[in-house]
Amino acid sequence: MRTFISFAEARKTVMAAAVPLGNESVSLRNAAGRTLAEGVVSSEDIPPFNNSAMDGYAVIADDCTGAPVRLEVIADIPAGRPHDGEIRTTTCARIMTGAPVPAGADAIVPVEKTRADGPNVWIDEAPIKGIHIRLAGEDIKSGDQVLSSGIVITPPVVGMLATLGFDPVSVVKQPRVVVISTGDEIVSSSEMPGPGQIRNSNGPALAAQVESAGGIATAVLHAPDTPEGVRKTIESGTNADILLFSGGVSMGAYDFVRTELEAMGATWDFWKVRQRPGKPLVFGRFKDTLLFGLPGNPVSSAMCFEMYCRPVLAHMLKRDKDFRDLQAAILSHPMKKKEGLYYFARGIVEDAGAKGVRKVRDTGPQGSNLYSSVVKANCIIHLPEDMENPDEGTNVLIEALEW
Ligand code: AMP
Ligand code: MG
């Protein structure tokens, strides 16, 4: 097992272990938030037929040049009821929005610019040719590549898939993640802690992170700090793609996660990364299951998830990109930083000013127990290993947090 490796090496290791999952078919009603498994090419024109953009009259524009003119209304065309006949000179059809434009007609006169007169209608304003007609294929043409695989199915994507008839739709299977919080001091977030106890924040937060990254937290468990307790909980959490532990991976006398898993046959790729927060991170495998042992400090747990687990989930989900984009910014104040560790500082980035330079500041004290530093953050500031005590004005890379 490698130990005390660089962030780059640790990330490379976890990404290499992530295996893209298969696809499954789901009804479009349940597809929002899932990952589109196959690109979508339209086999149809959208709209599929020329149709009226207005409630009004389908006319021949040349008939109306001397408006006001009187035309005979030979048909009534509601939406959904195509008219078979043809519009010939001096005739027209009453037509509703979305109804197919009948043969012969080349313009729509909105009802507001007409007056009904028994079997006839007065057209008060001459239309120009083609007006208020939505042409077949003007939105999408048959053969157009409309959606790419690997995108998240957002509400507008649902609408597009529905338009094109992709229901059911092929999506990537969701990684199943079991979250196991360890610690004898931990009580459920719905309980009142006793002396020396604290509420479990990592369990619920990690489950929410898993789901915001597209996975399913199939179980959120708690293991006491005993070898048997850890083992029993692990056994009840099998059949997962990922086991996500919080706590119990450090040097403490009661940190049994590594040793118990090892005794069960797990192998470790690395333990400890030259980073802050999250130095004690451990990563390995147990059969086909990936094992992440995240340090228990809530900031470490949250940041390690973002740096390692979220990209792994993205890769399993065959997303179009595994990582968030890194953007340039400059520090608006000096920061304390040790050389030799990669820092993921919690930051607040301001909008680019007139000069287009984004400034970023930290959220205040950065201790790995200070969870409010995560809650306030709208970005993670990357401070690479070789950087020491950066000054105000230092160029840095940030990744925006959209949660
Ligand atoms: P550990 O990694 O188990 O040594 O825990 C490090 C610190 O994180 C300790 O102060 C723990 O009390 C705290 N901690 C561990 N697990 C959790 C959790 N699930 N929720 C909140 N704090 C935790
Ligand atoms: Mg602990």
Side-chain angles (χ1 to χ4, degrees):
M1 176 180 64
R2 288 166 291 157
T3 186
F4 214 49
I5 63 174
S6 69
F7 164 55
E9 192 182 344
R11 184 125 95 171
K12 206 168 125 193
T13 306
V14 301
M15 295 311 288
V19 178
L21 298 180
N23 303 336
E24 63 187 350
S25 181
V26 298
S27 96
L28 194 49
R29 180 71 186 85
N30 297 319
R34 302 294 299 269
T35 307
L36 191 64
E38 285 152 27
V40 168
V41 174
S42 181
S43 56
E44 295 166 14
D45 280 343
I46 303 295
F49 46 86
N50 292 353
N51 68 93
S52 177
M54 289 284 181
D55 297 323
Y57 290 86
V59 302
I60 299 166
D62 282 347
D63 281 352
C64 308
T65 41
V69 294
R70 202 172 65 160
L71 302 176
E72 186 191 351
V73 183
I74 58 154
D76 189 34
I77 315 178
R81 304 240 195 95
H83 174 65
D84 288 341
E86 192 182 336
I87 304 302
R88 298 219 174 81
T89 186
T90 73
T91 71
C92 68
R94 195 163 78 124
I95 191 164
M96 300 300 137
T97 304
V101 176
D106 61 8
I108 308 292
V109 180
V111 68
E112 295 85 343
K113 294 179 176 158
T114 66
R115 283 167 290 134
D117 180 10
N120 303 313
V121 65
W122 284 95
I123 305 296
D124 287 336
E125 209 177 287
I128 54 171
K129 253 188 200 148
I131 192 132
H132 303 314
I133 294 178
R134 303 156 167 170
L135 295 176
E138 73 176 20
D139 190 3
I140 293 159
K141 295 213 169 18
S142 173
D144 281 357
Q145 162 88 39
V146 183
L147 300 166
S148 330
S149 64
I151 61 167
V152 176
I153 300 179
T154 57
V157 172
V158 171
M160 182 55 79
L161 291 166
T163 299
L164 298 174
F166 282 73
D167 186 6
V169 60
S170 177
V171 298
V172 183
K173 285 185 178 164
Q174 291 180 284
R176 291 157 307 154
V177 183
V178 170
V179 175
I180 302 177
S181 314
T182 68
D184 283 343
E185 76 279 32
I186 302 300
V187 299
S188 142
S189 45
S190 59
E191 280 174 53
M192 182 56 77
Q197 295 183 321
I198 56 168
R199 295 189 185 92
N200 180 359
S201 63
N202 293 344
L206 285 170
Q209 282 175 295
V210 165
E211 286 175 358
S212 78
I216 321 178
T218 51
V220 184
L221 309 173
H222 174 248
D225 284 327
T226 59
E228 313 74 57
V230 167
R231 181 179 281 247
K232 263 179 126 172
T233 314
I234 294 166
E235 280 164 356
S236 64
T238 49
N239 192 31
D241 297 305
I242 297 177
L243 286 188
L244 208 53
F245 292 89
S246 110
V249 292
S250 298
M251 302 292 282
Y254 300 92
D255 291 339
F256 294 118
V257 170
R258 269 182 316 110
T259 45
E260 269 319 290
L261 274 160
E262 212 167 284
M264 291 169 77
T267 54
W268 299 112
D269 289 74
F270 65 79
W271 178 36
K272 293 185 188 168
V273 181
R274 295 197 298 274
Q275 63 185 9
R276 178 176 288 175
K279 193 175 77 177
L281 175 69
V282 58
F283 173 75
R285 297 155 224 237
F286 179 42
K287 299 177 188 155
D288 288 335
T289 303
L290 301 186
L291 308 171
F292 285 93
L294 312 183
N297 273 307
V299 178
S300 313
S301 158
M303 288 299 107
C304 284
F305 182 91
E306 293 305 315
M307 288 302 135
Y308 299 97
C309 307
R310 186 179 293 273
V312 160
L313 290 177
H315 195 72
M316 292 175 131
L317 282 162
K318 300 188 282 207
R319 288 273 170 88
D320 44 10
K321 57 179 187 185
D322 293 338
F323 304 110
R324 293 192 180 102
D325 293 331
L326 291 175
Q327 299 158 1
I330 62 168
L331 287 183
S332 60
H333 58 80
M335 285 180 75
K336 283 239 167 322
K337 182 186 176 296
K338 259 192 189 171
E339 202 185 340
L341 294 177
Y342 198 114
Y343 279 28
F344 313 115
R346 276 73 62 213
I348 299 172
V349 62
E350 282 141 31
D351 281 341
K355 287 183 189 153
V357 189
R358 250 183 312 240
K359 286 194 167 177
V360 65
R361 61 192 159 91
D362 67 24
T363 52
Q366 296 282 310
S368 60
N369 59 326
L370 303 175
Y371 197 56
S372 49
S373 75
V374 179
V375 176
K376 286 181 207 157
N378 68 6
C379 71
I380 296 172
I381 313 173
H382 286 242
L383 302 175
E385 211 172 302
D386 57 4
M387 186 182 266
E388 190 179 359
N389 295 332
D391 283 331
E392 175 185 342
T394 301
N395 292 307
V396 291
L397 292 172
I398 59 166
E399 56 184 276
L401 298 170
E402 305 86 10
W403 62 32

